[in-house]
Structures are given as structure tokens and as C-alpha cells.
């Protein structure tokens, strides 16, 4: 993938995530006014909990996107941050913010659990 294309896709993602976060933050205040969805009555999570989780996810993704943009700037974009081998093109196409090759990501995921 061309670096310029990667950069514009990442900048779009960052803009989307910024919008998502501000919408979710905005909803957080509206939700307190009631109007709960009766279909959600059985859920253990309150609307606010779900909202906070969504904000957290968006902020995590945003951090990944910002890190990928920083790697474009320092010239290391497209290489695995752990082993420095090139990240396969299809993987970058699918997830432009990805920081690791498949084996390193798998190792990291295993370590986490
Ligand atoms: Zn690797």
C-alpha cells in the first residue's frame, strides 16, 4: 500500500473516531434523561456502562491510529514493531493501524491472557 494512501486512510479513521467519541460523550448526558429501551431491560450493563465501554474502545483504536501515523512520520510504517519484518500487504490493507505481523500479534495476544 502506498504510504500516502495509508496516511489518508489513517487520518480518515482518526476523524471518524473523534466523531464517535464526541457523539458518545454527548449521548452520555442525554441517556440520564431516561427513555431506556425496554428491549434492554434484561441486560446487566446499564446504558452508561455500555457507553463508557464504547468510548474506551474508540479511544484505544484512536491511539493505535495515532501510533501508526507516527510510524509513517519516522519511516517505520509497514514493519512489525516487534521483529521489524514487513507486515503483509493484505493485513495492512485490512487494518492500516496494525503494528505487528501475524506471528508477533499472536504471541502478544497469548501473553495477555
Ligand atoms: Zn513481527
Amino acid at each position: 500500500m502506498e504510504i500516502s494512501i495509508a496516511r489518508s486512510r489513517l487520518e480518515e479513521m482518526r476523524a471518524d473516531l473523534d466523531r464517535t467519541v464526541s457523539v458518545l460523550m454527548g449521548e452520555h448526558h442525554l441517556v440520564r434523561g431516561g427513555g431506556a429501551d425496554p428491549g434492554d431491560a434484561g441486560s446487566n450493563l446499564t446504558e452508561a456502562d455500555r457507553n463508557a465501554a464504547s468510548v474506551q474502545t474508540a479511544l484505544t483504536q484512536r491511539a493505535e491510529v495515532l501510533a501508526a501515523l507516527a510510524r509513517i512520520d519516522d519511516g517505520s510504517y509497514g514493519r512489525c514493531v516487534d521483529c521489524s519484518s514487513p507486515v503483509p500487504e493484505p493485513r495492512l490493507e485490512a487494518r492500516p493501524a496494525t503494528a505487528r505481523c501475524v506471528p508477533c500479534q499472536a504471541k502478544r495476544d497469548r501473553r495477555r491472557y
Side-chain angles (χ1 to χ4, degrees):
M1 182 157 57
E2 295 257 356
I3 284 293
S4 59
I5 295 173
R7 184 193 290 275
S8 64
R9 283 185 60 187
L10 286 162
E11 280 173 352
E12 253 170 59
M13 287 166 73
R14 179 175 59 179
D16 275 350
L17 288 164
D18 281 345
R19 268 196 298 276
T20 302
V21 170
S22 59
V23 167
L24 288 168
M25 298 287 203
E27 273 175 9
H28 187 72
H29 299 290
L30 295 175
V31 164
R32 299 165 56 128
D37 180 358
D40 285 344
S43 168
N44 289 325
L45 285 176
T46 67
E47 197 72 27
D49 285 339
R50 267 199 300 271
N51 209 292
S54 305
V55 170
Q56 201 50 58
T57 303
L59 289 176
T60 303
Q61 287 171 353
R62 189 175 181 280
E64 280 174 14
V65 169
L66 290 181
L69 284 166
R71 289 196 300 281
I72 287 178
D73 287 338
D74 73 16
S76 64
Y77 182 76
R79 268 174 295 149
C80 173
V81 296
D82 285 349
C83 70
S84 298
S85 53
V87 177
E89 197 75 358
R91 180 167 167 79
L92 282 178
E93 290 277 352
R95 290 196 51 194
T98 197
R100 288 177 185 80
C101 65
V102 177
C104 288
Q105 188 63 55
K107 252 184 267 170
R108 193 182 154 86
D109 288 347
R110 266 203 304 278
R111 221 178 293 147
R112 201 188 296 162
Y113 296 113

